């Protein structure tokens, strides 16, 4: 069992000029998700190898942000290969 350091690692990302920090634990991500996503997250997590947790957490944090229509539209454009309309961090600072 890993040694408890007393600190919880966090996932951080920028969202609309704010830094969002989500505890990088299964419980932390589950608690951060909207209630309608929690059961599915639990099922997926229970079937994910530990080595894939980093990717799993980021996928779910991104999924939760899709509830915002602006984010959903931008993610759709990016997945479709269209980067027009996106700006870099430097352009927004």
């Amino acid at each position: 069992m890993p040694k408890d350091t007393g600190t919880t690692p966090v996932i951080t990302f920028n969202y609309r000029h704010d830094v969002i920090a989500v505890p990088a634990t299964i419980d932390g991500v589950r608690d951060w998700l909207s209630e309608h996503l929690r059961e599915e997250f639990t099922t997926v997590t229970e079937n994910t190898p530990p080595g894939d947790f980093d990717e799993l957490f980021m996928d779910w944090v991104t999924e939760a942000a899709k509830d915002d229509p602006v984010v959903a539209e931008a993610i759709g454009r990016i997945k479709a290969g269209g980067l027009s309309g996106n700006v870099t961090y430097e352009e927004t600072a």
Side-chain angles (χ1 to χ4, degrees):
M1 189 158 205
K3 180 181 174 185
D4 184 2
T5 63
T7 60
T8 301
V10 295
I11 299 168
T12 59
F13 62 99
N14 291 309
Y15 178 69
R16 294 190 171 197
H17 304 287
D18 291 323
V19 175
I20 306 296
V22 179
T25 63
I26 294 169
D27 283 342
V29 173
R30 183 185 304 113
D31 289 346
W32 187 79
L33 292 170
S34 299
E35 191 168 332
H36 72 278
L37 296 173
R38 291 179 186 161
E39 185 176 335
E40 183 181 355
F41 172 79
T42 298
T43 300
V44 170
T45 302
E46 289 174 348
N47 293 290
T48 299
D52 295 338
F53 281 170
D54 287 349
E55 184 177 344
L56 173 89
F57 288 172
M58 286 310 300
D59 288 348
W60 280 91
V61 168
T62 303
E63 182 67 29
K66 284 187 205 177
D67 286 345
D68 182 316
V70 173
V71 173
E73 190 271 331
I75 290 171
R77 272 198 332 267
I78 291 167
K79 285 185 174 182
L83 298 178
S84 64
N86 294 324
V87 295
T88 65
Y89 174 77
E90 290 77 18
E91 293 173 309
T92 62

